[in-house]
Amino acid sequence: MESQSAHQQLIELVRQAKRIVALTGAGVSAESGIPTFRDAMDGHWSKYKPEQLATPQAFEADPARVSRWYDERRLAALGCEPNPGHYALAELERIKRAQGGSVTILTQNVDQLHQRAGSQEVIELHGSIIRWRCTRTGETQDHVEREPLAQDYPIKSPNGGLWRPDVVWFGETLPTRALASADLACQKMDLYLAIGTSGVVYPATGFIQFALDRDIPSVEINPQETPISEAFFARVREASGVYLPALVKALL
Ligand code: OAD
């Protein structure tokens, strides 16, 4: 937001909204110390090839390498704390709920920091790195222990399968229930926020199109321009951990 009046306009937009949907991405967790994917300097995909770590083929070819990398990321996430941006979204949800409304977070993040900050309506579009799944039975287990899941990877499950992170890899379909819940939330929303996401991975582009088709106001909160910035009604070029607490404070 360039000017004070534009900032004021945005506060009014959020104040008036009853049912808010917020799509969040890695940028929201950046201020907690978790690297994003596409940052040129320290993004995961600037150091590693996604096809060697984040595809079913990569897991099949080298399950030890993939499991170790994800377990390291699980431990790193557990060692991080939610930042003021996460807490502000949880506070916004409390405010809207008290007024009979809602804030639904559709997150592409797998770190569970929104839930740890107190957000109640969180839809995990890309699964969770804290949850692991047996490749044979589909059983899942949460792992909040702050030590490696194994000495030796890959991790064998008792019934002959392997444990893999319960995340969505490139080439896999998004969880049906999460998508259906996201769709339901979008049907009811009167304000769409996209926070800390480059918007390049499906279904991020679908959500903004949904908002555009129905004339629902949309706001992008991201210090950088993204390939889909132009589609938004308003753009805020600030870090989410700085802007969101200020926004919520202005609502009180
Ligand atoms: P990206 O790394 O693509 O984008 C992160 C965005 O966050 C960028 O647009 C940054 O400008 C922005 N950003 C950085 N710091 C920020 C801050 N403090 N406040 C607000 N924004 C900030 O991450 P995602 O959009 O989440 O999928 O990526 C989407 C998916 O692509 C991920 O879920 C992952 C990845 O490959 C899989 O692994 C399947």
Side-chain angles (χ1 to χ4, degrees):
M1 283 279 117
E2 302 295 320
S3 66
Q4 191 55 30
S5 69
H7 177 63
Q8 206 52 45
Q9 251 186 358
L10 190 48
I11 293 168
E12 278 316 306
L13 205 56
V14 176
R15 200 194 297 282
Q16 303 289 326
K18 198 158 184 213
R19 300 203 173 273
I20 301 176
V21 167
L23 173 72
T24 65
V28 170
S29 293
E31 288 157 271
S32 292
I34 298 179
T36 65
F37 291 93
R38 294 178 179 78
D39 185 274
M41 294 297 285
D42 65 0
H44 288 306
W45 301 153
S46 69
K47 295 185 190 149
Y48 310 102
K49 290 195 168 106
E51 60 273 21
Q52 287 179 349
L53 289 166
T55 63
Q57 293 79 5
F59 185 70
E60 216 167 287
D62 195 343
R65 174 192 163 98
V66 172
S67 312
R68 188 180 305 107
W69 190 69
Y70 275 93
D71 200 19
E72 283 165 8
R73 280 185 58 208
R74 180 188 71 86
L75 285 167
L78 287 171
C80 292
E81 297 300 323
N83 67 57
H86 293 109
Y87 287 114
L89 282 171
E91 179 62 21
L92 184 61
E93 183 181 16
R94 279 190 286 275
I95 294 170
K96 289 297 166 189
R97 280 188 171 216
Q99 298 167 351
S102 62
V103 174
T104 307
I105 295 178
L106 315 180
T107 192
Q108 299 164 93
N109 298 345
V110 293
D111 53 34
Q112 293 194 352
L113 288 181
H114 285 302
Q115 293 92 325
R116 284 172 56 196
S119 284
Q120 292 184 34
E121 217 180 313
V122 182
I123 298 173
E124 291 174 327
L125 294 170
H126 289 172
S128 163
I129 207 170
I130 311 296
R131 210 168 44 239
W132 286 57
R133 186 170 87 225
C134 172
T135 53
R136 178 157 283 182
T137 63
E139 176 203 349
T140 59
Q141 277 183 8
D142 282 349
H143 285 288
V144 292
E145 59 271 35
R146 294 185 181 209
E147 61 225 31
L149 292 179
Q151 303 286 338
D152 283 320
Y153 297 89
I155 314 161
K156 295 190 180 68
S157 71
N159 41 42
L162 293 176
W163 288 105
R164 57 158 284 181
D166 193 24
V167 299
V168 178
W169 282 327
F170 290 103
E172 294 186 318
T173 49
L174 269 67
T176 318
R177 274 177 65 182
L179 265 186
S181 307
D183 189 55
L184 207 62
C186 287
Q187 301 278 355
K188 296 182 190 157
M189 71 181 170
D190 51 12
L191 176 63
Y192 174 66
L193 309 175
I195 314 171
T197 177
S198 57
V200 294
V201 172
Y202 171 85
T205 42
F207 296 134
I208 178 61
Q209 194 56 51
F210 190 99
L212 277 173
D213 290 347
R214 287 161 185 77
D215 277 335
I216 295 164
S218 56
V219 183
E220 176 179 71
I221 300 167
N222 193 317
Q224 307 286 331
E225 183 136 348
T226 72
I228 57 168
S229 288
E230 284 306 309
F232 287 85
F233 172 73
R235 293 161 283 272
V236 178
R237 293 279 164 254
E238 284 191 53
S240 52
V242 174
Y243 183 74
L244 291 173
L247 176 72
V248 170
K249 198 169 163 208
L251 293 176
L252 297 173

